[in-house]
Amino acid sequence: MVFVPMSKYKTSGYKGSTDSGKSEEQEGIRCVRYRCGQLSTIKDVLRQRPGWVEVRDDGEWDFNWCDVSWLRENFDHLYMEEHVRINHFRNHYELTRKNLMVKNLKRYRKNLERDIGRMEASRWDFFPCTFALPSEYHLFVEEFKRSPGSTWIMKPAAKSQGKGIFLFRKLKDIIDWKKDGTRSEEQKDAAQVESYVAQRYIENPYLINGRKFDLRVYVLVTSETSLKFPNSPKCFFPDMHLTNVAVQKTAPDYDPVKGCKWQIQQLRRYLTAKHGREMVETLFKEMDNICVCSLQSVQKVIINDKHCFELYGYDILLDQNLKPWLIEVNASPSHTPSSQEDYEMKYRLLEDTLNVVDMEGRLTGKEKRVGGYDLMWNDGPVYREDVNLETFGSSCFTANTHLGCVNDRDKQLRRLLKPFPGQKRM
């Protein structure tokens, strides 16, 4: 891992038309000029970070937390100096658009089966049978007819938070949907052009207190600044939470104060008590595999820019056999809190994200854990220290992750992050 430290004095970042006038160094504190286009928890984290100052839209910046629409409109026109960082890869959509994610996963699995064999390719049995429509419609119909009575779910390829999703069991339901008389002609035309995915519905989901849920896993991928391995992603895994709040909060019994999320420690304790430690260890190991394999599938197609990093939001569903299924990956996972506990969790997540990106240059590059993050890929797999590598092959990856375990985050960060000259410790 290589991190580029900020200069002790004023530096030039993205070349805007004017400076905000706020970027002069504060005495005894290094200055990082940031731009933030979102009004959520990340805004609070950035404002309270020592030595960081916000600039206007047209000011020069060293760090930019933008949304994907801003990136799409501006990235091709940017000149960024060595130290500058931005929170998206240029073509992040190769993993975060549902149809492209499945396309890349299928291609990589097919190549593995051809080059290495079915045993290695079997590790890729972690996403439901999925087809991109309309391009794979005929393949979908063939599979649909092979499993009569199955439930399928239709999703817009580029939307989130449950928008535009519906279930169906008959092909005529798709035809009826296209002919829906409640929509305008403009909407009908748009629906025919818009890409969708048809995905086999997981009909035996794991239930807690009779309720279905999904898991949100945050995965931070930092760009490689070393020219030796320019395409090798690095993956860090922090805590998780459960359920899609955008859907859950519409329920009549939803409590906005308590929310509807569990922390990973609570989930792990629950599952261990009910199913035993061995099954839960296998479950978490398979989730590690999902994240590593999915990133490998796009490793050669993602435009690897040393200025970019990405905080992905993985949505994973468990079935009754404790098998994890990858449902989708989000490029802009919501940081808007649903409760005070959720706010605190997301605040810590984003704070640790900035610590890993390390604009201040306080890390050595040899860390295997930063706050709630565990390093699990660094030009190759990073194994847990308690694993005997001679007993494990590539098909049995045991990552350096400790999800759900006790974490001395605050003490560890105090030891890890040295203060700037003249700055008090956190």
Side-chain angles (χ1 to χ4, degrees):
M1 255 186 298
V2 180
F3 296 102
V4 182
M6 295 294 296
S7 168
K8 183 177 180 180
Y9 302 102
K10 181 180 174 182
T11 57
S12 297
Y14 158 69
K15 298 297 186 180
S17 58
T18 61
D19 198 291
S20 69
K22 295 183 180 179
S23 60
E24 295 298 331
E25 170 135 20
Q26 301 175 29
E27 184 177 356
I29 300 179
R30 300 184 186 187
C31 179
V32 178
R33 299 163 300 174
Y34 73 86
R35 181 187 183 277
C36 182
Q38 298 184 15
L39 297 175
S40 60
T41 311
I42 182 60
K43 199 82 169 179
D44 295 342
V45 176
L46 289 167
R47 284 175 175 170
Q48 296 179 40
R49 197 162 180 86
W52 288 50
V53 293
E54 187 172 9
V55 299
R56 295 195 303 264
D57 290 347
D58 58 354
E60 294 184 8
W61 45 265
D62 306 302
F63 181 92
N64 191 345
W65 193 285
C66 66
D67 54 36
V68 293
S69 61
W70 187 95
L71 184 85
R72 185 169 53 248
E73 296 172 4
N74 294 277
F75 194 93
D76 290 339
H77 310 293
L78 295 179
Y79 166 75
M80 293 182 285
E81 295 196 5
E82 182 75 13
H83 67 278
V84 171
R85 295 291 180 268
I86 193 167
N87 68 314
H88 288 297
F89 289 105
R90 182 178 179 182
N91 61 334
H92 59 84
Y93 46 78
E94 292 286 350
L95 185 60
T96 58
R97 278 184 63 102
K98 299 176 185 67
N99 55 339
L100 295 180
M101 179 190 79
V102 171
K103 173 186 174 182
N104 287 313
L105 289 172
K106 286 182 177 179
R107 184 196 68 247
Y108 200 88
R109 182 172 62 183
K110 183 177 180 180
N111 291 341
L112 276 179
E113 188 170 344
R114 180 195 64 202
D115 299 338
I116 302 179
R118 291 186 177 181
M119 182 174 293
E120 185 70 17
S122 65
R123 295 173 56 207
W124 293 70
D125 181 29
F126 55 74
F127 59 98
C129 182
T130 308
F131 297 92
L133 303 182
S135 61
E136 295 183 327
Y137 181 78
H138 295 294
L139 294 175
F140 159 68
V141 171
E142 290 178 10
E143 180 63 28
F144 185 91
K145 291 180 178 179
R146 279 196 289 265
S147 53
S150 297
T151 301
W152 292 75
I153 184 169
M154 189 84 128
K155 305 177 183 180
K159 292 183 180 179
S160 60
Q161 297 184 330
K163 297 175 182 176
I165 291 178
F166 63 93
L167 302 176
F168 65 96
R169 289 187 175 180
K170 299 179 181 179
L171 285 177
K172 76 177 188 66
D173 293 337
I174 300 179
I175 299 173
D176 293 343
W177 167 74
K178 288 184 177 180
K179 295 179 179 179
D180 185 357
T182 63
R183 293 182 296 165
S184 66
E185 290 299 324
E186 183 179 346
Q187 288 174 320
K188 291 179 183 179
D189 293 339
Q192 292 177 6
V193 175
E194 185 177 10
S195 296
Y196 276 73
V197 294
Q199 188 174 80
R200 192 190 303 276
Y201 191 66
I202 306 297
E203 298 192 62
N204 62 332
Y206 192 93
L207 304 179
I208 296 180
N209 296 329
R211 293 175 181 263
K212 180 181 174 182
F213 64 93
D214 63 7
L215 286 75
R216 164 60 56 85
V217 185
Y218 293 101
V219 180
L220 176 62
V221 180
T222 61
S223 65
E224 175 62 56
T225 57
S226 169
L227 297 178
K228 189 174 180 180
F229 300 101
N231 294 317
S232 297
K234 297 170 182 176
C235 318
F236 293 78
F237 289 64
D239 292 345
M240 293 186 286
H241 66 259
L242 306 181
T243 72
N244 186 337
V245 177
V247 176
Q248 292 286 334
K249 67 182 181 182
T250 62
D253 58 347
Y254 175 74
D255 188 337
V257 177
K258 295 181 179 179
C260 57
K261 299 179 182 179
W262 279 9
Q263 292 190 14
I264 186 62
Q265 287 186 356
Q266 185 177 358
L267 173 66
R268 187 158 192 160
R269 285 196 302 266
Y270 177 89
L271 294 177
T272 302
K274 197 165 185 179
H275 303 283
R277 180 177 178 181
E278 186 175 350
M279 283 193 68
V280 175
E281 285 285 348
T282 300
L283 165 63
F284 279 83
K285 181 178 173 181
E286 290 177 353
M287 287 194 291
D288 294 340
N289 179 70
I290 285 176
C291 297
V292 170
C293 289
S294 61
L295 289 169
Q296 287 178 330
S297 74
V298 297
Q299 184 174 343
K300 292 185 178 180
V301 296
I302 290 288
I303 300 172
N304 187 60
D305 190 311
K306 62 186 178 182
H307 300 99
C308 302
F309 67 93
E310 193 85 41
L311 179 59
Y312 293 108
Y314 277 62
D315 287 343
I316 295 176
L317 181 72
L318 306 185
D319 66 19
Q320 291 176 350
N321 301 315
L322 284 189
K323 175 180 174 60
W325 296 91
L326 175 61
I327 304 302
E328 64 185 54
V329 181
N330 298 277
S332 296
S334 174
H335 301 136
T336 302
S338 58
S339 65
Q340 180 61 32
E341 184 180 25
D342 189 42
Y343 174 83
E344 293 170 0
M345 185 277 290
K346 288 179 176 175
Y347 190 100
R348 293 192 301 268
L349 164 76
L350 295 168
E351 192 174 47
D352 288 347
T353 299
L354 298 183
N355 289 336
V356 173
V357 175
D358 191 29
M359 293 294 293
E360 301 92 341
R362 294 180 289 180
L363 302 180
T364 67
K366 298 180 181 180
E367 292 80 8
K368 288 189 177 181
R369 179 166 70 91
V370 179
Y373 281 109
D374 294 318
L375 177 66
M376 67 175 302
W377 189 277
N378 187 13
D379 302 331
V382 179
Y383 294 93
R384 285 208 320 237
E385 294 179 356
D386 58 348
V387 173
N388 181 0
L389 297 183
E390 295 181 356
T391 64
F392 289 92
S394 61
S395 63
C396 194
F397 175 63
T398 302
N400 175 51
T401 59
H402 303 85
L403 289 172
C405 302
V406 176
N407 188 337
D408 61 339
R409 174 183 177 274
D410 294 336
K411 292 181 180 179
Q412 188 252 2
L413 287 178
R414 282 196 294 269
R415 292 193 304 266
L416 196 65
L417 303 178
K418 297 179 180 180
F420 303 134
Q423 177 190 329
K424 295 182 179 179
R425 280 189 173 273
M426 295 170 55

